[in-house]
Amino acid sequence: MTQTQQAPTASRLFEPARLGGLELPSRLVMAPLTRNRAGADGVPGELMATYYAQRASAGLIIAEGTTPNAVGQTYPHIPGIHGPAQIAGWRRVTEAVRAAGGRMFLQLQHGGRVGHPDTSGHVPLAPSAVRFPEPLHTPGGLREAVAPREMTAEDIRSTIADFADAARNAVEAGFAGVEVHSANGHLLHQFLARNTNLRTDEWGGSVEGRIRFTVEVVRAVAEAIGPERVGVRISPGVNVNGVDEGDTEEIYPALVKALADVGPAYLHQVHAAPDQAAFTGIRRDWPGTLIANPALTHEEVAADGGRLRGELLLAAGADLVALGRGFLANPDFVERLRTGAPLNELRPESLMYVQGAEGYTDYPALER
Ligand SMILES: Cc1cc2nc3c(=O)[nH]c(=O)nc-3n(C[C@H](O)[C@H](O)[C@H](O)COP(=O)(O)O)c2cc1C
């Protein structure tokens, strides 16, 4: 264990807040964290219910990236939300979280070109046939990525409909809402970025063309379940998973303004920092709730879990703060931050994306 370096003080992090129709007991949100603990069929089991229920004291849990249709699956053992068994599995999770006093959104994640036929059974779909540059984990081990198939107008239409259906399924499974994943190099981000979207039709080309898919997915999801149940995750300037946005400073002002017209409950910015142009621009242009997720160093996670960085973001105008690894390692993370109790040490990377309870549900809570 490492000792936190801050004395506990009153903090806006622990104030209640409203989000859409929800009352949150604090401004601390558990960021979506892929953990590969679902069955091979994408069905969440008891272990996932235990893990999330342990973390129910979060102001809000945003559950891990979950596949809205079969072709969108990224890696083995990623949960899905497009079939009855998956909906039933998630229902057990949301019931366990509700019984423990928590609230939950579900992140809808379509991998686009981040996917492999050996995993999903399908050639991946993407805005353009630009291959993912690295090998991908599959059930048979690491495999070279294959070139994705460029989506037709019909593929685009049906994928948007799949997001709307997945959102309805999530509500049926007991989630308070969904977060549309338009960050970190997945399908929606592939539409935004210049190096992965080479299209010349209305879904590509200009900034207006490249933001269209994200806007239309969010619109369809909002129409399906109500805008107050919808959030959107974005990662301006974060070129992970091989995306290179190109014109970041033009994409996001246009995207944020277009999303404001659709009116989802929140925007969730990854790698947010108080004096960063992307953050201050979004805060200026976005009238709704803004969740900020700072990019912490390993040392910051160990030192205070992100409390200081979170407070600075609230002071700079964020409404809620999302933290990932602190919640991963501490089932009672909010209480530990509030009281200044020591934090558990994060277990090795080799336990992050594997099956089983080790490094998952066996992080201890504080003794009472
Ligand atoms: C194990 C792990 C899994 C992650 N899975 C997802 C995911 O499914 N969706 C997503 O948008 N971000 C994912 N992320 C990114 C986190 O949501 C978060 O942005 C990142 O961990 C930075 O927050 P932190 O510094 O508080 O950990 C993941 C990060 C980690 C460490």
Side-chain angles (χ1 to χ4, degrees):
M1 291 203 179
T2 53
Q3 191 69 40
T4 55
Q5 293 177 342
Q6 282 197 286
T9 50
S11 160
R12 287 193 56 225
L13 281 172
F14 310 105
E15 284 175 358
R18 280 194 70 84
L19 176 67
L22 292 178
E23 297 284 349
L24 312 185
S26 75
R27 295 175 186 272
L28 277 161
V29 175
M30 179 174 166
L33 296 166
T34 288
R35 305 303 309 280
N36 306 68
R37 259 70 173 190
D41 49 4
V43 175
E46 277 310 309
L47 191 65
M48 286 176 63
T50 302
Y51 164 79
Y52 280 113
Q54 286 173 340
R55 288 157 179 77
S57 58
L60 175 72
I61 294 172
I62 303 172
E64 66 206 79
T66 296
T67 313
N69 61 14
V71 69
Q73 183 178 0
T74 49
Y75 297 108
H77 295 276
I78 298 291
I81 187 77
H82 52 88
Q86 296 166 349
I87 297 170
W90 274 121
R91 187 176 300 113
R92 284 194 294 276
V93 176
T94 62
E95 281 169 2
V97 168
R98 195 172 309 111
R103 298 137 299 278
M104 233 177 159
F105 266 50
L106 179 68
Q107 188 183 58
L108 299 181
Q109 167 188 278
H110 188 307
R113 67 180 187 152
V114 187
H116 198 282
D118 290 358
T119 304
S120 69
H122 299 270
V123 173
L125 293 178
S128 301
V130 182
R131 194 165 64 95
F132 187 65
E134 317 232 339
L136 290 158
H137 289 281
T138 73
L142 276 178
R143 294 282 181 272
E144 279 303 310
V146 302
R149 182 164 70 70
E150 178 178 311
M151 293 167 81
T152 62
E154 173 55 23
D155 293 324
I156 290 176
R157 196 200 57 74
S158 69
T159 305
I160 292 171
D162 288 344
F163 268 92
D165 286 343
R168 285 189 202 94
N169 292 344
V171 170
E172 188 186 332
F175 287 98
V178 299
E179 175 173 284
V180 174
H181 194 359
S182 186
N184 297 350
H186 291 95
L187 178 66
L188 277 61
H189 202 187
Q190 290 159 30
F191 269 90
L192 297 178
R194 234 171 14 192
N195 74 322
T196 43
N197 185 345
L198 311 178
R199 304 178 72 94
T200 52
D201 64 3
E202 60 179 325
W203 302 98
S206 63
V207 163
E208 195 193 8
R210 280 180 286 131
I211 67 171
R212 193 182 310 279
F213 186 66
T214 293
V215 174
E216 293 310 316
V217 168
V218 175
R219 192 191 312 280
V221 167
E223 280 169 8
I225 62 172
E228 72 287 356
R229 292 178 184 268
V230 182
V232 186
R233 198 173 213 215
I234 54 174
S235 52
V238 181
N239 289 332
V240 298
N241 277 327
V243 298
D244 187 355
E245 291 175 334
D247 40 13
T248 302
E249 51 305 311
E250 284 155 43
I251 295 171
Y252 288 92
L255 178 63
V256 169
K257 284 180 188 136
L259 289 175
D261 289 339
V262 179
Y266 72 80
L267 265 190
H268 182 178
Q269 190 199 341
V270 179
H271 280 218
D275 51 359
Q276 169 203 57
F279 174 79
T280 53
I282 292 167
R283 185 61 296 179
R284 188 191 56 232
D285 295 340
W286 176 249
T289 297
L290 178 58
I291 307 181
N293 173 223
L296 304 176
T297 63
H298 194 74
E299 291 68 34
E300 286 172 314
V301 175
D304 77 346
R307 175 175 168 159
L308 177 61
R309 296 278 299 278
E311 287 180 348
L312 293 173
L313 280 162
L314 287 184
D319 299 294
L320 305 172
V321 172
L323 297 170
R325 287 162 291 171
F327 275 105
L328 190 161
N330 299 278
D332 45 5
F333 188 47
V334 176
E335 185 185 348
R336 291 186 197 231
L337 288 195
R338 193 173 50 74
T339 61
L343 298 176
N344 291 327
E345 207 173 302
L346 195 63
R347 311 270 286 281
E349 180 85 15
S350 58
L351 293 172
M352 295 254 177
Y353 307 105
V354 291
Q355 288 73 66
E358 194 185 355
Y360 189 55
T361 49
D362 60 354
Y363 281 103
L366 292 168
E367 287 183 17
R368 291 171 184 276

